[in-house]
RNA sequence: GCUGGCGUGGCGCAAUUGGCAGCGCACCUGUCUUGUAAACAGGUGGUUGGGGGUUCGAGUCCCCCCGCCAGCUCCA
């Protein structure tokens, strides 16, 4: 979408002092209408201002066009004001919360005794159209005192709270713009009557005639300030675009995107299923899905073996003492399944594998010569997720992680962490994953009860992580407050087709738990030292990673991952036996091949298997059987005929090399 | 968890104000023997997610439960 929008900064102009922006632009014959029309300006301090703004000194500004991302956001912001006005017109007892534009549209939150129904949305949309048809002006008004604002918002308790709890002192005088200006936006009829008003930073369009097309999409609940202990609000979502065509394009693109939803494809391709008798969030991997899992796991084992990892197997539950030692009790209790009591002892299902691996480390004495000591396990963990948070395979209550722990000396830590980052690069590159970003999650020093309290350890762990990240040159975003209770995290964040973000991989530098567990090694000088632990899971969990790959490939997996690689189709049922023999031979060579000897025409079979995203179809008739050749047809369109042995070797090579693309040889 | 919306053979859907549970695909059987994205005919399959209620009569209305979807992360 953004590629079609023009660059905000590309048009600049110098505004004289003492004249409104709109007057200056009109005098210069600058268009306000149409896609490239100017909707607002941005000063060099990054603050956006209305066209009614009157600079008190000559100022150079960037012009914000309607078709820029910033311009569209302003249109959506103004549209949500109209929506809120419509809501208060139709349901006068409704109180206002906040109403920002979003990446895909806008919403407004309301404190309301009414839960808005789909019918309400229809009525509201009608009311909005009426308001726009009548025509209104958006006008900014800066208040002169806090008392004025309190009076102005006397009927709006949530607005009063926003005013009272504003993090920086309000500015009142002159014509200030930005987060610290206490301003209201009035919706005025063309004869100047104030129809509605809202506490707002702005900017807004001059006039409803500069709005685009809009639609209200759905209503849902949201908590005031995102806090589930606070008031539950009614949120109405909508979206707006410049014109009908852009809206339609958005809706079709969205529909196309949702066709790739792993839940839909998982059903169609028989990858996994859920059964209420098993429990919510507890997936059943079907044979096809299990193939993908096993292939990924095999790859990870080979990779880890080449880097000196050893494999271990540990149980899925343990006594509570272990989790007190690890700090999961109490720091992680909310995410754990309830305890299990047996023979007067209390057990918990494990929410993480690390405590078990620490016990593996501790089971035998270690010397510096054993380090780095790397233990890996595809370990299954169980976490309690609130029912409303579950989402297909992306978010489950039981999942299996590509987990490993690296125990190393202080000196080795940065290098080991870098090796882990390089491992990610290798995996992602080979799988063709480019759409992701990284987050360095550190602790929020103001909220200490979520984290262990050794100040010095936090400083060191954050220094190691940050140092390795900077050395790797991979760009990252900082998330204050997102750290694990035992250390800072580096997460690889991916996006599902529904637009939600998930951590595909998570890695931590941990100085805390080795000390808790009393892990030591004999250093070269003969002293006992505490190792550093690196937690790493480059392929995350099978559940999340396979769902991400399913969406990424739209179900058309690379040959090596495809659950069904080859279907052999006889030209007529005369050749059923021959087709079966070909399939058997390919299967025996290690390929996932089967013959389709069902009662259907060849063309129908080809269509069926193409739709099931099977990468290779081999057609067998008299010629092929006589000459021992294979007529190969790729799902992507290519085709060729070659001796069967050659085709077999070629496909085995493609699978063995884990090639992303299968092409004609 | 909370708010809203959903739940009809394996899958996708239909069923007027409450009035005979239907269609397509898949599946099974048969006919046809066909060269790279849908041959034709016939057939099996449902306590309409589960339970309770209202009614002469419930897929449809009411209540409870189970499950699925969206949102609760975009901070005037």
């Amino acid at each position: 979408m953004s590629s079609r929008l023009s660059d905000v900064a590309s048009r600049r102009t110098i505004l004289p002092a003492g004249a409104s922006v709109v007057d200056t632009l009109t005098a210069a014959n600058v268009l306000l209408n149409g896609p490239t029309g100017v909707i607002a300006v941005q000063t060099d301090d990054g603050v956006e201002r209305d066209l009614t703004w009157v600079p008190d000194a000559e100022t150079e500004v960037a012009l914000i066009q309607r078709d820029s991302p910033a311009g569209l956001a302003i249109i959506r912001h103004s549209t949500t004001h109209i929506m809120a006005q419509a809501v208060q017109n139709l349901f006068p007892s409704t109180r206002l919360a906040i109403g920002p534009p979003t990446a895909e549209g806008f919403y407004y939150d309301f404190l309301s005794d009414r839960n808005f129904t789909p019918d309400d949305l229809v009525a509201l949309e009608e009311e909005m159209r009426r308001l726009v048809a009548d025509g209104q002006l958006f006008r900014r008004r800066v208040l002169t005192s806090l008392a004025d604002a309190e009076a102005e918002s006397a009927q709006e308790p949530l607005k009063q709270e926003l005013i009272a709890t504003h993090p920086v002192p309000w500015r009142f005088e002159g014509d200030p713009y930005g987060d610290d200006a206490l301003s209201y936006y009035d919706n005025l009829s063309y004869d100047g009557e104030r129809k509605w008003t809202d506490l707002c930073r702005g900017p807004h369009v001059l006039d409803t005639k500069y709005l685009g097309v809009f639609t209200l999409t759905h209503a849902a609940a949201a908590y005031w300030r995102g806090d589930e202990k606070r008031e539950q609000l009614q949120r109405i979502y909508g979206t707006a675009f410049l014109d009908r065509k852009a809206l339609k394009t958005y809706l079709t693109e969205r529909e196309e995107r949702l066709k790739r939803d792993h839940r839909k494809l998982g059903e169609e391709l028989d990858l996994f299923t859920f059964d209420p008798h098993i429990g919510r969030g507890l997936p059943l991997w079907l044979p096809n899905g299990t193939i993908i899992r096993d292939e990924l796991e095999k790859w990870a084992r080979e990779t880890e073996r080449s880097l000196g990892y050893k494999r271990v197997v540990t149980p899925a539950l343990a006594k509570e003492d272990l989790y007190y030692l690890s700090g999961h009790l109490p720091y992680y209790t909310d995410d754990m399944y309830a305890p299990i009591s047996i023979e007067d002892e209390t057990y918990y299902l494990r929410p993480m594998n690390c405590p078990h691996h620490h016990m593996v480390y501790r089971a035998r004495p270690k010397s510096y010569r054993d380090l780095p000591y790397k233990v890996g396990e595809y370990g299954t963990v169980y976490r309690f997720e609130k029912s409303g948070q579950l989402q297909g395979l992306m978010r489950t209550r039981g999942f299996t992680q590509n987990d490993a722990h690296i125990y190393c000396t202080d000196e080795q830590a940065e290098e080991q962490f870098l090796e882990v980052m390089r491992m990610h690069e290798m995996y992602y590159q080979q799988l063709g994953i480019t759409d992701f970003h990284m987050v360095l999650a550190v602790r929020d020093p103001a909220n200490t009860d979520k984290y262990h309290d050794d100040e010095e350890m936090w400083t060191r762990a954050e220094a190691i992580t940050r140092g390795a990240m900077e050395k790797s040159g991979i760009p990252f975003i900082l998330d204050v407050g997102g750290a694990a209770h035992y250390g800072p995290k580096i997460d690889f964040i991916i996006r599902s087709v529904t637009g939600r973000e998930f951590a595909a991989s998570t890695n931590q530098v941990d100085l805390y738990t080795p000390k808790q567990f009393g892990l030591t090694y004999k250093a070269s000088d003969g002293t006992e030292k505490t190792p550093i632990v690196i937690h790493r899971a480059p392929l995350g969990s099978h559940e999340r990673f396979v769902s991400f790959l399913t969406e990424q490939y739209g179900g058309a997996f690379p040959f090596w991952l495809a659950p069904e690689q080859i279907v052999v189709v006889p030209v007529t049922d005369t050749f059923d036996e021959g087709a079966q023999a070909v399939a058997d031979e390919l299967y025996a060579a290690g390929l996932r091949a089967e013959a389709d000897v069902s009662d259907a025409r060849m063309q129908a079979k080809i269509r069926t298997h193409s739709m099931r995203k099977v990468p290779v179809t081999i057609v067998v008739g008299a010629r092929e059987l006589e000459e021992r050749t294979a007529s190969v047809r790729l799902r992507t369109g290519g085709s060729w005929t070659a001796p069967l042995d050659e085709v077999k070797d070629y496909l085995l090579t493609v699978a063995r090399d884990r090639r992303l693309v299968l092409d004609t040889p």
Side-chain angles (χ1 to χ4, degrees), chain A residues 556-562 564-566 591 613-618 632-640 647-655 658-665:
Chain A
F557 291 95
F559 188 72
W560 70 281
L561 282 175
E564 298 159 322
Q565 292 177 317
I566 304 164
L591 292 162
K613 327 267 186 196
V614 177
V616 174
T617 310
I618 291 179
V632 185
R633 180 201 158 91
L634 300 180
R635 197 193 59 84
T636 46
S639 64
W640 77 95
V647 170
K648 183 170 68 186
D649 289 345
Y650 175 65
L651 293 176
L652 281 168
T653 307
V654 170
R658 301 193 169 94
R659 284 188 206 163
L660 195 54
V661 178
L662 168 57
D663 225 328
T664 49

Side-chain angles (χ1 to χ4, degrees), chain A residues 280 282 333 335-339 348-349 382-384 397-398:
Chain A
R280 293 173 91 171
L282 299 169
T333 322
D335 299 281
M336 290 169 71
Y337 269 85
Y348 282 88
L349 280 170
Y382 294 89
R383 295 182 188 172
F384 171 71
R397 285 177 173 169

Side-chain angles (χ1 to χ4, degrees), chain A residues 69-324:
Chain A
L72 191 57
I74 291 167
I75 286 173
R76 288 168 171 175
H77 189 186
S78 297
T79 307
T80 202
H81 272 225
I82 296 292
M83 174 172 78
Q85 185 184 7
V87 167
Q88 291 199 315
N89 284 356
L90 264 44
F91 310 106
S93 65
T94 308
R95 306 295 22 125
L96 304 172
I98 58 167
T102 66
E104 297 206 354
F106 58 82
Y107 66 80
Y108 211 112
D109 284 346
F110 303 99
L111 187 58
S112 167
D113 43 16
R114 184 185 184 87
N115 295 332
F116 299 111
T117 66
D119 284 346
D120 290 343
L121 297 195
V122 173
L124 285 168
E125 220 177 283
E126 230 169 86
E127 174 70 1
M128 288 169 72
R129 291 191 205 296
R130 190 186 69 77
L131 293 169
V132 170
D134 285 356
Q136 283 184 157
L137 306 172
F138 286 81
R139 285 297 177 269
R140 178 188 183 84
R141 181 159 51 86
V142 180
L143 300 201
T144 54
S145 74
L146 207 54
D148 280 0
E150 281 157 8
E152 189 87 40
S153 286
Q155 301 303 311
E156 299 289 354
L158 301 180
K159 295 290 184 191
Q160 286 174 35
E161 183 180 327
L162 288 175
I163 294 166
T165 59
H166 195 64
V168 295
W170 289 109
R171 286 175 61 208
F172 303 102
E173 306 78 26
D175 190 17
Y177 273 79
D179 284 333
D180 57 347
L182 186 44
S183 59
Y184 278 70
Y185 274 79
D186 295 333
N187 288 22
L188 306 176
S189 67
Y190 287 157
D191 51 21
E193 188 190 344
R194 191 201 293 179
K195 296 290 192 183
W196 193 72
T197 191
D198 191 15
L199 169 73
C200 184
R201 178 186 54 191
H204 281 282
V205 297
L206 276 183
D207 187 313
T208 49
K209 73 183 180 192
Y210 297 114
L211 295 176
V213 298
F214 54 82
T215 178
L216 301 186
T217 52
H218 58 289
Y223 298 101
W224 174 230
R225 299 194 149 178
D227 181 350
E228 63 183 12
K229 291 179 193 68
R230 297 293 311 265
E231 296 86 333
Q232 189 165 58
L233 308 173
Q234 290 292 311
R235 173 173 296 183
I236 301 179
Y237 282 90
T239 191
F241 285 88
L242 283 196
D243 51 46
R244 208 159 296 284
K245 198 176 151 210
L247 174 62
K248 207 179 153 200
T249 305
Y250 162 77
L251 292 173
T252 24
E253 276 173 5
R254 187 158 158 271
E255 208 172 300
E256 283 304 311
R257 191 153 38 90
L258 295 181
K259 281 188 191 154
R260 303 165 77 94
D261 192 315
H262 76 278
R263 290 168 296 191
K264 189 176 158 62
L265 288 169
E267 194 72 43
E268 286 170 10
L269 304 178
D270 300 319
L271 302 182
F272 61 89
T273 192
F274 288 90
D275 188 314
H277 298 283
I278 304 278
R280 293 173 91 171
L282 299 169
L284 298 172
W285 287 80
L286 300 177
N288 278 353
T290 307
I291 288 170
I292 299 172
R293 232 181 112 109
D294 285 350
E295 287 290 348
L296 286 170
E297 196 162 326
K298 191 174 153 211
W299 189 30
R301 278 209 299 263
E302 284 171 18
T303 306
E304 287 164 14
R305 183 176 180 277
S306 73
L307 292 168
Y309 286 74
K310 297 169 183 3
R311 294 189 57 76
V312 294
V313 175
T314 61
L317 73 173
K319 296 196 319 201
E320 61 182 340
D321 318 19
L322 183 73
Y323 300 114
Y324 278 114

Side-chain angles (χ1 to χ4, degrees), chain A residues 13-16 19-32 51:
Chain A
T13 196
I14 294 172
L15 299 170
S20 74
V21 181
V22 61
D23 288 347
T24 303
L25 295 180
T26 310
N29 284 322
V30 172
L31 282 182
L32 305 185
L51 296 187

